[in-house]
Amino acid sequence: MTNNELIWRIAGGSGDGIASTSQNFAKALMRSGLDVFTHRHYPSRIRGGHTYTEIRASAEPVKSRGDGYNFLLALGDSFARNPKEGSVYGNEEIKPLSENLDELHEGGVIIYDSGLLDASEIDDFDARVEENNWHVYDIDLRTMAREQGREVMRNTAGVGATCALAGIELEWIEELMTDAMPEKILEPNLEILHNAYNKVLDEYDVDEHDVKVPEGSHDEEQVLLSGSDAIAYGSLDEGCRFIAGYPMTPWTEVFTILCQNLPKVGGISEQVEDEIAAAALAIGASHAGVKAMSGSSGGGFALMSEPLGLAEMTETPVVLIEAMRAGPCTGMPTKPEQGDLEHVLYTSQGDSHRVVFAPGTVAEAYTQTRRAFEIAYEYQIPSIILYDQKLGGELVSVPASVLDEEPNPSLGSTLTEAELADAPHDETGKYSRFQHDVEDGVSPRSIPGQKGGRFLATGNEHTPEGHIEESPANRVAQMNRRLQKKEAIRADLAAQSESHQTYHGPDEATYGLMTYGSSQGTVEEAVDMLTDEGYSVKSLGVSDMAPYPVDEVSEFIESVDEVLVVEMNATAQFRGLTQKELGQYGEKLSSLLKYNGNPFEPLDITEGFKTKIVEDGELSGPETKFVPAAGD
Amino acid sequence: MSAFSAIGEGQEIDQNEYTPGLEPQATWCPGCGDFGVLKALKGASAELGLSPEEILLTTGIGCSGKLNSYFDSYGFHTIHGRSLPVARAAKLANPGLEVIAAGGDGDGYGIGGNHFMHTARENHDMTYIVFNNEIFGLTKGQTSPTSPKGHKSKTQPHGNAKEPLRPLSLSLTSGASYIARTAAVNPNQAKEIIIEAMEHDGFAHIDFLTQCPTWNKDARQYVPYIDVNESDDYDFDKTDRRSAAEMMAETEDALHEGKVLTGRFYVDENRPSYGQEKRAIGEMPEQPLAERYFDDSYEWERSADLFLDKHK
């Protein structure tokens, strides 16, 4: 966290071009040498509704959304259809301005489109402006856009005005618009950009406020990537050439990226009738010798529960992606939450198990997706990448070298026809696909069409050749062998040169913060802020949900006096998992939870830490809550 | 050179080659129609000269799902209702495979009905055999989607209040390009129809009437049957959608009046299969995708080369 940063929020209605405008703006700031991090907030609707994207840009590394923000561009909701105060959703037109005031820093800047918004509709607007020393620029962006072309281009006018006020050189924006826009709309947009920029410079004293873009430079070339990009690219680099799916927010992003790009590399994408089919197709393709994946969000993943068990029982490698959103049921489709951990870990009948990774950053999303494929195909087990709307949608600047990796198309423990000739068969020539006594529990597979490899894959308990069989001796041998893979994978992960768990802060700290998945960056920023304030604290971001990294987490907890476990859900699922896996440390653990539809801000965590760990007090607001650990 | 040398060899083969060397004890009851499907499938596969190792037979759950145990090939005994999505993906992954899916009427028309409609709609190049005994057999005699109205069972003690589903009509509406009905009591016609279905380039659906002597004692043994393509009493054009639809409706009504009509009801040889459609729009490689993983000379694409520039 640094004070020298621009946190720019662009607010409007769905359909106002917030996503594309903010993406270009973020990339422009990245190219200018800054680290950027975006945070999206949007409703589940095509048109209208209060939506914003926040871009945090700093010369220092940024790992999280900031605490509030300092520059608002309120475009106004041009699709608002029901602007009456008394209606269910209130006056929607004014929301891009009215709904964003609470988190704007003192001394912050507001540009609003006076062509659409009338600030006098907000009762205490003037008083709040004065009280907070905000600098307000009411600019008729709408008319400016209309003069040059179309009203929808008023976001460009807003960007032009922003650049003038924040001291951003226009060339960064021009270059990006030239890259991103077709010629037909490029000219009017450039015109609007310049007009707005010059008008603001002419008409206002842009130095009356001090919210300015910082200057920075990168040692290494950066790219702007989202978690969804990283998962999709990780899959491709691991040789995945088949995806089946059904649209569901927020998983749709990964699905879309792969549907668009798989044909370019001779792969196959299938949008199918439902998620049961999607998972079954991935299993069918993998069975036939292609690296395959499927995925969904909570509700769709629920439909995959039975195919997941089929993949496990038939030992068909498959990778599933689960993009969490706020539940239960349809919940809040476009809002982030980390509430599907238990769903993903325990769904499917019987003593079933799988591999689950929850990456903490965009870069981890790439490497852990690759590892998920590698393990799925080596150990013939379903692997799941568990992430959420936050990680999937946030665009972050990362070094280009993160993706500069070689592909690995290996099918893992799969035999060729030549190898099959020397492999064990029964006396009738059926391949012993599911041998009892094999290293790490892994019995290599054959692929349909291979000579000498025929076997039966079945969801029933089966003999080494795949025949349905219920004798106690065979049952126990097969169960033990399949379960043995879990310990082999745990050992394999522990032996890797780089752990999936991420440590931050001083080794010798008195207190610990722990989290899983996408809250990691925010927790790390909180550690830095607390350290600056003189507290002795470090953090552990855990990615391996299954098999759980028992030794690493135990060591971390042992090394501190007390641990606050931070996660975005209401029932402390990750802390529950930790206690289940470790069987102790209840007296050291407590939880800080947030489930209001917004991700943690660093201050939520620093306040939680100070209140709980230092003062053992109660939280002041309703946004977050404490929950003690069960037992000791 | 192919990594899958069992595919496309073309060979003289005896139908006993599809009988497992260690044949498991039959789980089907004496007199069960399922034996008829097994025999017809073996006969058809032998006549086409298919190697057991180029066939992928996927099944669902139920008595019909046991087919895999008695037919020696690559097999995938899946979960209830899901044989089709597994099968069609395998066909896309390796189009050289001879892919056959099989299941019961509850499996295919009930729990897996959505997959049936969509697999037919997409016209995947595969054969789908539905063991239609108008009953749930393995779970001991509950009413199924094709049980007649009024049929009494432990779960419908006052008689079935629902009209039975019309499998042929549903198949036609959904988009299957080869639709036939045969019966276990008619082994020669059954074998011929399975051969045609396997040779057909598209989704071939066979509604296979399989009597259940244990749980559906009320039902007919599906005799005498009439082949609508051979009988002079029926005149319709199986290549015409409207004409076929009328014949199917008549056939479905007749079954519950005690008249068993069988034969080919709809055949569209002109419609491209799903694989052909996908290749035509550049969404499926010309070479079987599965081969690529065994080709050491293939140069695998890198995300960094393909995508990094647009993120800079």
Side-chain angles (χ1 to χ4, degrees), chain A residues 488-560:
Chain A
I489 295 166
R490 197 195 305 274
D492 186 338
L493 290 172
Q496 297 291 331
S497 58
E498 280 195 33
S499 160
H500 287 170
Q501 282 53 253
T502 309
Y503 298 83
H504 189 74
D507 277 347
E508 305 290 326
T510 312
Y511 299 108
L513 290 170
M514 244 172 75
T515 190
Y516 92 96
S518 72
S519 298
Q520 181 176 304
T522 312
V523 166
E524 291 181 0
E525 291 220 356
V527 166
D528 292 343
M529 288 161 69
L530 289 165
T531 305
D532 286 347
E533 291 177 47
Y535 295 100
S536 176
V537 60
K538 63 181 177 181
S539 69
L540 175 63
V542 182
S543 286
D544 294 344
M545 298 293 105
Y548 193 84
V550 171
D551 293 344
E552 277 180 274
V553 178
S554 299
E555 204 176 305
F556 179 83
I557 297 175
E558 290 279 1
S559 76
V560 292

Side-chain angles (χ1 to χ4, degrees), chain A residues 417 449-452, chain B residues 4-11 51-54 74:
Chain A
E417 285 192 342
Q450 284 179 326
K451 197 172 263 186
Chain B
F4 304 96
S5 67
I7 292 174
E9 278 188 313
Q11 56 185 305
S51 149
E53 295 191 322
E54 66 183 308
Y74 277 97

Side-chain angles (χ1 to χ4, degrees), chain A residues 265-333:
Chain A
V265 293
I268 296 173
S269 62
E270 278 292 292
Q271 184 184 325
V272 296
E273 59 269 27
D274 58 32
E275 286 89 350
I276 307 174
L281 263 98
I283 291 167
S286 181
H287 182 74
V290 170
K291 289 178 100 168
M293 69 190 290
S294 182
S296 191
S297 291
F301 188 80
L303 294 187
M304 297 182 171
S305 185
E306 202 181 7
L308 178 69
L310 178 68
E312 188 198 340
M313 193 61 162
T314 58
E315 300 177 75
T316 310
V318 71
V319 173
L320 302 177
I321 307 294
E322 216 267 33
M324 295 182 279
R325 63 191 215 185
C329 194
T330 310
M332 300 196 285

Side-chain angles (χ1 to χ4, degrees), chain B residues 180-194:
Chain B
R181 170 175 271 178
T182 185
V185 288
N186 189 359
N188 291 328
Q189 186 207 43
K191 185 179 83 176
E192 292 307 319
I193 282 178
I194 293 178

Side-chain angles (χ1 to χ4, degrees), chain B residues 2-35:
Chain B
S2 171
F4 304 96
S5 67
I7 292 174
E9 278 188 313
Q11 56 185 305
E12 285 282 317
I13 185 162
D14 185 274
Q15 65 174 28
N16 289 325
E17 299 269 333
Y18 305 104
T19 304
L22 296 169
E23 191 174 15
Q25 175 72 37
T27 59
W28 294 330
C29 308
C32 175
D34 294 2
F35 288 108

